[in-house]
Amino acid sequence: MSRDVQAGRDTALRLGPRSVAVLAVASLAGLAMFLWPLILQPAPGDTRVDQPFIFMLLLPVVVLVVVAELTEGGMDSKVLAVLAVLTAVNGAIRLLGAGTAGIETIFFLLIIAGRVYGAGFGFVLGCTSLFASALLSSGVGPWLPFQMMCAAWIGMGAGLLPSRLRGRAEIAVLVLYGVVAAYLYGFLMNLSSWPFTLGIASPGAGDTAQMVPGDPVLENLHRFVVYTLLTSTWGWDTGRAITTALCLVVLGPALLTTLRRALRRVQHVATTTPSLTS
């Protein structure tokens, strides 16, 4: 019998010590990946910087998360089938908007799936959904690891929300979480490309939205916040938040019911299928 079922946990994946450790390492690496503009020290005379492509190495870490789940027995063939279906659906529905004018349709299903199947499943689904979407839309580029990590955090966070909420209270919490996640996604994606987009200013520059090498971190962070407010917060990010909230309100109850029914079937099969070693 599955240990998740024995414990009465409403999740598809059991996060063992190895999985937790890998998730922690991946998240710390992702945090460093997003903070690079604030810790970068360009060479004297540089006026433009590129994103450190070494962060493309984060992708094997994401794969390691999946391997850890598989080797610990938390992700069997049935859970993999659910993951594959949700990845394909989420990757396809992103093509309906893909962020155009702030219309972003990928996060509501990710949030609901993370909520139902757990933090580990949400993390992996965030990675695979963005990767599948990039392949379908020819959107593979240096921004992809950043998008995948953001989506992974969103899915994982949904799985960490209070588990006892149901009904309207649950939808309200998911909507609030979706709105916050939509703005944080825009904030982090802007931070990852800020110096790449605007270039960098000369040391001692006055009022500017560019990064100024050598200035205190808080001053550069203030410049970045101004840049984000002017370029995306009131447009793209707000559109993403509204789209996510509306989808959660309209489709959330039905999807929660459907995915929980699927989870019960997966767990029922796990409890009735004889062990190969028995």
Side-chain angles (χ1 to χ4, degrees):
M1 179 181 294
S2 166
R3 275 173 284 186
D4 285 336
V5 177
Q6 288 176 334
R9 295 179 58 191
D10 190 24
T11 59
L13 297 182
R14 177 184 58 85
L15 285 180
R18 183 164 56 232
S19 298
V20 172
V22 172
L23 285 173
V25 170
S27 295
L28 288 175
L31 186 61
M33 182 175 74
F34 282 102
L35 293 178
W36 74 270
L38 299 178
I39 61 179
L40 180 69
Q41 292 296 328
D46 285 348
T47 59
R48 194 166 187 85
V49 293
D50 294 330
Q51 294 166 321
F53 288 97
I54 192 174
F55 288 130
M56 294 293 286
L57 296 177
L58 184 66
L59 289 177
V61 177
V62 174
V63 174
L64 187 59
V65 174
V66 182
V67 173
E69 295 290 352
L70 288 169
T71 56
E72 288 194 339
M75 186 181 290
D76 57 18
S77 60
K78 295 170 287 297
V79 177
L80 275 175
V82 174
L83 175 66
V85 170
L86 291 178
T87 295
V89 171
N90 218 17
I93 64 176
R94 188 171 187 242
L95 301 180
L96 299 176
T100 304
I103 300 174
E104 184 65 81
T105 53
I106 196 172
F107 292 124
F108 79 94
L109 181 56
L110 173 60
I111 290 172
I112 291 174
R115 168 68 175 169
V116 173
Y117 289 98
F121 187 95
F123 188 96
V124 176
L125 180 62
C127 295
T128 56
S129 294
L130 266 294
F131 187 71
S133 173
L135 294 179
L136 290 172
S137 61
S138 300
V140 178
W143 53 84
L144 181 57
F146 298 93
Q147 292 177 332
M148 291 173 63
M149 183 54 65
C150 277
W153 282 335
I154 291 173
M156 182 173 66
L160 297 176
L161 294 173
S163 60
R164 296 184 180 277
L165 294 174
R166 290 294 185 271
R168 293 182 179 179
E170 182 178 30
I171 296 298
V173 169
L174 291 179
V175 168
L176 178 61
Y177 175 79
V179 170
V180 173
Y183 282 108
L184 285 178
Y185 178 87
F187 184 90
L188 289 173
M189 288 304 300
N190 284 342
L191 183 58
S192 71
S193 61
W194 171 43
F196 172 77
T197 303
L198 292 186
I200 58 178
S202 301
D207 294 336
T208 179
Q210 297 171 283
M211 183 182 73
V212 179
D215 273 16
V217 171
L218 290 180
E219 292 186 16
N220 274 322
L221 183 60
H222 171 75
R223 295 186 182 97
F224 166 72
V225 171
V226 171
Y227 161 74
T228 295
L229 290 174
L230 292 175
T231 58
S232 69
T233 299
W234 309 119
W236 298 82
D237 297 345
T238 298
R240 184 184 303 111
I242 293 174
T243 302
T244 302
L246 286 176
C247 289
L248 286 170
V249 170
V250 175
L251 302 175
L255 284 173
L256 284 169
T257 299
T258 300
L259 292 184
R260 282 183 172 132
R261 185 180 297 119
L263 174 61
R264 286 193 294 271
R265 289 179 179 176
V266 168
Q267 292 177 331
H268 176 71
V269 172
T271 59
T272 57
T273 301
S275 173
L276 295 178
T277 60
S278 61

